[in-house]
Amino acid sequence: MARTFATVAVIAAGLLVAGFFVFVSTIPRVEPDTKISGDGIVVLTGGADRLADAFALLADGRAKRLLISGVNPDTSEAQLARLHPQHKRLFDCCVDLGFRALNTAGNALETRQWVRRHGFQAVIVVTSGWHMRRSLLELERAIPEVILVPYPVITEGAEEENWWLKPGKLRLLVGEYVKYLAALVEVRIAPRISDEDPAPKEHASKK
């Protein structure tokens, strides 16, 4: 029995390691096509490059509105506008801030509320390339009726071949892989979020 258990453990560990390398191989390493379109754009906070790319898409007319999901409650719309002065006109008409999301699942709930409020049918999703698979998993679970258009942000060093030699990069990818597996299990257990589940409140900019 002990030998059988050890064999199963070795096989399971091997599958996890192999799955990790498959996961890493699917992370985008080149800039995505900017000629995409949707009704709205949602950007999940967590990196300055994400906001810059989301604003660029909105300014280029790729969607009607932008939701910034997971904004720190201590950050105001005025502060964000000062950080992005070239896009001040967008804050005045087309940007909404979501303050309630604390994680990717919360981002999905904020996005669901926002999407259904505006009646959007297709949404561009902006987040880091390594975070995209888990983000889409949570969003598809929350709003299965909506078409999701991924726009992965390519962070510096994403194209590095010897990433496993960099401890910081390795920790980031392993941590994301574990979170992705946990989200995958949760989605398999509860593939849909009930419409009765409370959705986070959103602070909207001036219409």
Side-chain angles (χ1 to χ4, degrees), residues 112-149:
R112 180 177 70 171
Q113 182 191 45
W114 180 75
V115 163
R116 292 181 176 175
R117 173 179 299 170
H118 294 288
F120 292 157
Q121 297 181 337
V123 174
I124 300 171
V125 181
V126 180
T127 189
S128 297
W130 51 265
H131 186 231
M132 183 59 74
R133 287 188 69 179
R134 182 158 60 99
S135 301
L136 293 178
L137 190 67
E138 295 285 7
L139 287 164
E140 287 168 356
R141 179 188 181 207
I143 42 176
E145 74 277 11
V146 172
I147 297 171
L148 301 175
V149 183

Side-chain angles (χ1 to χ4, degrees), residues 18-204:
F20 171 68
F21 280 95
V22 171
F23 173 80
V24 171
S25 71
T26 64
I27 297 175
R29 288 174 170 77
V30 296
E31 289 292 335
D33 183 7
T34 59
K35 303 303 181 183
I36 58 177
S37 62
D39 299 316
I41 303 167
V42 58
V43 56
L44 312 186
T45 56
D49 291 342
R50 302 182 189 183
L51 281 176
D53 284 5
F55 281 125
L57 289 170
L58 185 63
D60 197 34
R62 297 298 159 186
K64 304 171 186 174
R65 298 192 69 82
L66 167 66
L67 169 66
I68 306 175
S69 177
V71 178
N72 189 311
D74 295 328
T75 301
S76 68
E77 181 180 316
Q79 289 173 315
L80 281 175
R82 283 196 296 271
L83 291 173
H84 303 273
Q86 70 275 32
H87 298 305
K88 184 181 183 304
R89 66 177 181 84
L90 298 178
F91 279 95
D92 292 338
C93 73
C94 316
V95 177
D96 302 309
L97 308 184
F99 290 98
R100 295 289 298 277
L102 300 177
N103 51 34
T104 306
N107 291 141
L109 290 176
E110 276 191 333
T111 302
R112 180 177 70 171
Q113 182 191 45
W114 180 75
V115 163
R116 292 181 176 175
R117 173 179 299 170
H118 294 288
F120 292 157
Q121 297 181 337
V123 174
I124 300 171
V125 181
V126 180
T127 189
S128 297
W130 51 265
H131 186 231
M132 183 59 74
R133 287 188 69 179
R134 182 158 60 99
S135 301
L136 293 178
L137 190 67
E138 295 285 7
L139 287 164
E140 287 168 356
R141 179 188 181 207
I143 42 176
E145 74 277 11
V146 172
I147 297 171
L148 301 175
V149 183
Y151 188 89
V153 176
I154 309 304
T155 55
E156 183 179 356
E159 72 288 348
E160 294 174 344
E161 294 183 359
N162 297 328
W163 52 263
W164 57 83
L165 299 177
K166 299 181 180 296
K169 185 80 171 187
L170 182 59
R171 283 195 299 270
L172 172 68
L173 294 176
V174 170
E176 182 58 27
Y177 176 59
V178 171
K179 291 177 183 178
Y180 172 73
L181 291 180
L184 190 61
V185 170
E186 184 176 354
V187 167
R188 291 289 182 262
I189 294 173
R192 292 290 179 265
I193 297 177
S194 169
D195 285 338
E196 283 71 37
D197 289 346
K201 293 181 181 180
E202 161 201 320
H203 168 74

